[in-house]
Amino acid sequence: MIDDYHDIHQVRNPINENLLNVDTDLLSWVLRIDHMSSLRVSYIEKKSTWFCVSNNTNLNEETLINHLTVHSYDPDLQEAHPEKKRMRYTKLINFIPQELKSLDEYLQAITPFIESPVINDYLTYNIIPVPADYPGQYFIRKAITLQRRFGDSINISKKILHLVPLLGPLHVSLNTRETTVKIYHSFFNILFKEIFQRKKELPMKPQPWMINLILYLTNSGWVLIRTKVLEKFKQKKNMEYQIFLDLLDNIIPATLDIYAILFREGHFEEYVETIFRLWTIMMRFERKNYDKIMLAFLSDVYYWQSIEHPLHNALQDHLTEFNEYFIENFHSLIRRRTTGKNFNVEGLQRDAIAIDHNRHNSEFIRPFLSLNKYPYKKKDVDIMTKKVALFLLDFFKRILLNSNTNSLPILKGKKKQTHVLHASNISITYKALPSGYHTKNPPNHEKSCDFENCNLQNENQNNFHVFICGHSYHLECFEKMDFKCQYCLQYYIEGIQNLGNSYNERLENTENCSIFDDDDIEGNENENENEIYDPSLDSINEPIRADKNLDQKLRMNGIVYVLTKCFLFFHFIYIIILLFDQPIKLQFLYHDKQIN
């Protein structure tokens, strides 16, 4: 693995073998045949059919902290990490000064390694997979593409063809989580202040550990009340409800599971399927780089599968081995010996080699251990989860009371335009809308069925189903669409074609050999090590009140639901009686006496 070391110390302020790098035709075919049926439902619904995949709620203390510190490389926080035991197999080859912001700089780092005698002989008969962040994948793919195109006329070693760049799962998790918080920042800001009872705003780019905590709490709180909310809304075709159902039932759980569960537990098929789902979300979010690099990975996987390549079997059987966690962990150890104002290359080289040589020596490594512990225990997280559940109950209650008022559509052309949602009073951009609203045929709230050729609008107004994309169809109409949302399918296919072709052209361009728009997130938990988070400032120590309030609200919702049903039933009987011209004798038995 080749990576650029980031000396980050700033404080965050609030506010293959495949000749086609992205085979757009293959991906469009796979989308149509394999994935569209899954994309019509939320991730949580789809996950319920995967009996082999574990749940990420109701975790024990050790596993919970492990999930919440998934992007933390602190030695004292990684005892439970599955990657910990495999760190002994990593080895530092060299630590050299290099910006790694252009193809030439990557080649200067790679070439001495692949042309060393031992590796050169190894590469004669073997390949080396390279899981990496976006720049690592991009520049290696570019070098491979140019070597194939120009051969010996270009100064790129043929051995580069034996490297296989792969999507770095840790960076996928990190980037999708942070992007989600950024797109829905207004919502998470309100939730943040509600949980911690603080006036301070949530930073626009919170630290990874805070992002993980907020997303985990939101997901766990949603799970507690999900059934009640779905019962209340049923098939309501309300845009505001659909926005937050998509966020809570689809986007958040997918970003939480992709690395911590699906990758770490080696669920290859589910992992690839969820990468495809996350790509549709990153495309909608217009998340540059990750709306393309995921396509490259998927294109490779399905190409290898189609030709029965051994690498496909290797990924299927040993997915957890293809992980870039180890290099990020090693960078963390070196970062502890640096300061923001002192960057000495020779000193870094010396420290890196010394750390690599002695990193299994407990006495040597002790000075590197951080004194900071994770600020919360499981009991604290459980309390906060119930506070989130209470917040979400009130949040959806406001939406339900205003469910007959739909927010105005957001004009896609004005990318910086925000719109305030009526019930929740939250500002969003069009990127936050479910995928159906990005198509050429967005959901129509005046109709129960969005099928253009529907002729059942007046006959079956209640016999329709609303999908996670926001579109709704009668069963008969959906059958005519081959049980696929054709409007979203066309939107995804156009995205594959446009983004895939753009990425291929960029890789083949000899003039574009530097990173000019890289915003890949490194996810270093140590970016602000001097700022120790003080949980005593948070108002979360209210376990009895949180339990009581949540139980009362859920119970009252159930009582109101039953009373409403009873009222409707007796009201129905009363109306029937009034319809008759003559009085009707109703007889009841009470204590053996007949009462007329």
Side-chain angles (χ1 to χ4, degrees):
M1 286 178 280
I2 300 170
D3 194 18
D4 52 338
Y5 166 78
H6 288 263
D7 182 46
I8 302 175
H9 294 272
Q10 77 271 17
V11 176
R12 298 195 178 222
N13 296 318
I15 301 282
N16 82 40
E17 283 187 357
N18 190 355
L19 295 179
L20 295 172
N21 282 287
V22 177
D23 190 336
T24 57
D25 292 336
L26 175 61
L27 287 179
S28 298
W29 181 84
V30 171
L31 169 67
R32 186 186 302 274
I33 300 300
D34 290 341
H35 291 290
M36 277 310 298
S37 58
S38 297
L39 292 174
R40 74 188 185 198
V41 300
S42 71
Y43 173 79
I44 284 185
E45 286 189 64
K46 182 59 181 177
K47 182 182 176 180
S48 66
T49 66
W50 297 337
F51 300 107
C52 61
V53 178
S54 61
N55 190 7
N56 63 350
T57 57
N58 299 322
L59 305 174
N60 60 41
E61 182 94 27
E62 182 180 27
T63 308
L64 173 63
I65 300 303
N66 173 277
H67 278 242
L68 294 176
T69 58
V70 69
H71 301 116
S72 171
Y73 317 116
D74 291 352
D76 59 331
L77 288 177
Q78 63 176 241
E79 291 300 326
H81 281 211
E83 297 86 354
K84 166 79 171 179
K85 59 184 179 182
R86 295 205 296 273
M87 281 299 295
R88 68 175 66 94
Y89 300 121
T90 63
K91 179 63 182 174
L92 175 68
I93 301 300
N94 206 345
F95 196 96
I96 58 178
Q98 195 63 265
E99 288 292 330
L100 291 182
K101 295 296 183 182
S102 68
L103 176 61
D104 288 340
E105 290 171 343
Y106 260 86
L107 289 175
Q108 290 173 28
I110 295 172
T111 303
F113 172 70
I114 61 178
E115 291 188 347
S116 63
V118 175
I119 299 300
N120 186 62
D121 292 342
Y122 178 83
L123 289 176
T124 302
Y125 304 100
N126 302 278
I127 61 173
I128 296 181
V130 186
D133 57 8
Y134 171 76
Q137 296 172 70
Y138 171 75
F139 284 120
I140 294 177
R141 284 184 182 275
K142 191 172 186 69
I144 293 171
T145 301
L146 296 180
Q147 217 292 328
R148 284 194 180 124
R149 182 177 178 183
F150 298 103
D152 295 335
S153 64
I154 194 168
N155 189 27
I156 298 178
S157 171
K158 285 187 177 180
K159 293 297 182 181
I160 200 76
L161 301 179
H162 293 247
L163 301 183
V164 183
L166 293 173
L167 188 68
L170 188 70
H171 282 80
V172 169
S173 173
L174 188 67
N175 283 270
T176 54
R177 292 185 187 201
E178 180 160 313
T179 305
T180 297
V181 171
K182 178 181 178 181
I183 296 296
Y184 299 91
H185 182 268
S186 297
F187 168 78
F188 288 113
N189 186 44
I190 296 173
L191 185 143
F192 170 78
K193 291 190 287 187
E194 177 70 22
I195 297 172
F196 299 105
Q197 294 296 302
R198 290 188 170 194
K199 294 182 179 179
K200 183 179 179 180
E201 302 289 317
L202 177 70
M204 285 300 295
K205 292 182 66 176
Q207 290 186 343
W209 77 269
M210 177 56 76
I211 290 176
N212 293 346
L213 176 61
I214 290 175
L215 292 180
Y216 178 85
L217 292 174
T218 305
N219 181 62
S220 300
W222 168 244
V223 169
L224 289 178
I225 66 164
R226 178 177 183 268
T227 302
K228 292 290 183 183
V229 173
L230 295 181
E231 284 178 357
K232 292 290 184 181
F233 281 86
K234 298 188 186 307
Q235 296 299 317
K236 280 193 176 294
K237 199 174 180 181
N238 174 272
M239 188 178 76
E240 194 162 353
Y241 167 64
Q242 290 169 332
I243 289 172
F244 294 105
L245 179 65
D246 180 43
L247 173 65
L248 298 169
D249 220 49
N250 190 43
I251 299 174
I252 291 178
T255 63
L256 289 175
D257 283 3
I258 189 63
Y259 181 81
I261 292 182
L262 300 181
F263 178 83
R264 276 179 165 179
E265 295 182 1
H267 301 297
F268 176 71
E269 300 295 339
E270 294 80 4
Y271 174 76
V272 173
E273 181 176 329
T274 306
I275 289 291
F276 216 129
R277 182 183 294 269
L278 288 174
W279 168 77
T280 67
I281 296 169
M282 293 298 103
M283 178 185 69
R284 188 213 313 171
F285 288 170
E286 297 180 354
R287 178 58 167 86
K288 61 182 180 181
N289 299 335
Y290 275 83
D291 60 1
K292 303 178 187 68
I293 199 65
M294 289 182 178
L295 288 179
F297 170 74
L298 292 168
S299 179
D300 286 345
V301 168
Y302 289 116
Y303 172 75
W304 294 330
Q305 183 182 27
S306 68
I307 65 172
E308 299 182 352
H309 194 284
L311 188 53
H312 182 269
N313 296 332
L315 283 167
Q316 195 169 30
D317 298 336
H318 307 284
L319 178 65
T320 57
E321 301 299 329
F322 300 90
N323 193 351
E324 81 277 29
Y325 175 90
F326 315 108
I327 195 169
E328 300 297 340
N329 184 285
F330 191 83
H331 281 171
S332 178
L333 292 177
I334 302 174
R335 192 173 296 111
R336 293 174 181 278
R337 293 287 294 269
T338 67
T339 64
K341 298 179 180 179
N342 183 17
F343 191 87
N344 180 274
V345 174
E346 293 182 358
L348 279 174
Q349 286 180 307
R350 182 174 59 253
D351 289 344
I353 294 172
I355 291 171
D356 179 65
H357 182 72
N358 295 285
R359 60 195 166 89
H360 300 305
N361 185 329
S362 59
E363 293 299 320
F364 173 82
I365 208 69
R366 183 174 291 119
F368 294 93
L369 298 180
S370 171
L371 298 178
N372 298 340
K373 295 292 183 181
Y374 194 78
Y376 301 111
K377 300 293 185 181
K378 184 180 185 302
K379 62 179 182 179
D380 302 320
V381 175
D382 290 341
I383 296 170
M384 289 188 284
T385 294
K386 290 169 182 175
K387 294 185 71 173
V388 171
L390 288 167
F391 168 80
L392 292 176
L393 277 175
D394 291 335
F395 184 81
F396 280 102
K397 181 180 178 181
R398 292 196 300 272
I399 296 178
L400 184 61
L401 293 175
N402 293 272
S403 59
N404 293 327
T405 304
N406 269 298
S407 298
L408 297 175
I410 298 171
L411 299 178
K412 188 174 181 180
K414 299 180 180 180
K415 296 186 177 182
K416 294 183 179 180
Q417 179 182 356
T418 60
H419 182 69
V420 179
L421 301 174
H422 291 303
S424 56
N425 196 31
I426 287 177
S427 299
I428 62 165
T429 68
Y430 74 93
K431 297 177 184 179
L433 296 175
S435 59
Y437 294 89
H438 296 257
T439 67
K440 295 177 181 178
N441 300 80
N444 188 334
H445 299 99
E446 302 299 324
K447 298 180 180 180
S448 57
C449 181
D450 290 309
F451 183 44
E452 283 185 306
N453 300 322
C454 175
N455 55 10
L456 303 173
Q457 295 289 357
N458 297 326
E459 299 178 17
N460 298 321
Q461 293 185 359
N462 297 319
N463 185 24
F464 66 94
H465 185 81
V466 183
F467 295 105
I468 196 64
C469 63
H471 285 119
S472 62
Y473 303 104
H474 295 119
L475 178 59
E476 298 92 329
C477 297
F478 200 54
E479 184 177 4
K480 293 177 182 178
M481 301 177 77
D482 196 24
F483 296 104
K484 298 179 180 68
C485 181
Q486 295 295 331
Y487 308 130
C488 287
L489 174 62
Q490 186 60 35
Y491 168 65
Y492 296 145
I493 288 178
E494 289 178 0
I496 291 173
Q497 298 290 333
N498 294 335
L499 294 171
N501 290 334
S502 172
Y503 188 62
N504 289 338
E505 291 173 3
R506 185 175 176 185
L507 290 174
E508 294 171 3
N509 188 350
T510 57
E511 297 179 0
N512 181 16
C513 295
S514 62
I515 285 286
F516 56 85
D517 65 346
D518 174 35
D519 58 352
D520 195 40
I521 302 166
E522 285 300 315
N524 301 301
E525 293 285 5
N526 307 315
E527 293 179 5
N528 189 14
E529 293 183 36
N530 294 325
E531 181 182 344
I532 301 177
Y533 192 82
D534 184 5
S536 64
L537 298 176
D538 304 327
S539 300
I540 64 168
N541 299 313
E542 303 171 346
I544 299 178
R545 184 183 301 177
D547 280 340
K548 185 177 180 181
N549 289 348
L550 181 59
D551 290 341
Q552 284 179 346
K553 291 223 172 187
L554 291 176
R555 192 181 305 113
M556 285 303 298
N557 281 334
I559 293 173
V560 170
Y561 178 79
V562 172
L563 291 177
T564 302
K565 288 291 186 181
C566 292
F567 172 78
L568 291 176
F569 172 75
F570 285 111
H571 190 65
F572 174 73
I573 295 295
Y574 177 71
I575 291 175
I576 291 178
I577 292 174
L578 293 179
L579 291 177
F580 286 89
D581 292 332
Q582 58 184 6
I584 295 179
K585 183 179 181 181
L586 298 179
Q587 294 184 335
F588 300 88
L589 290 178
Y590 180 73
H591 287 282
D592 298 327
K593 293 182 180 180
Q594 182 172 294
I595 301 176
N596 293 328

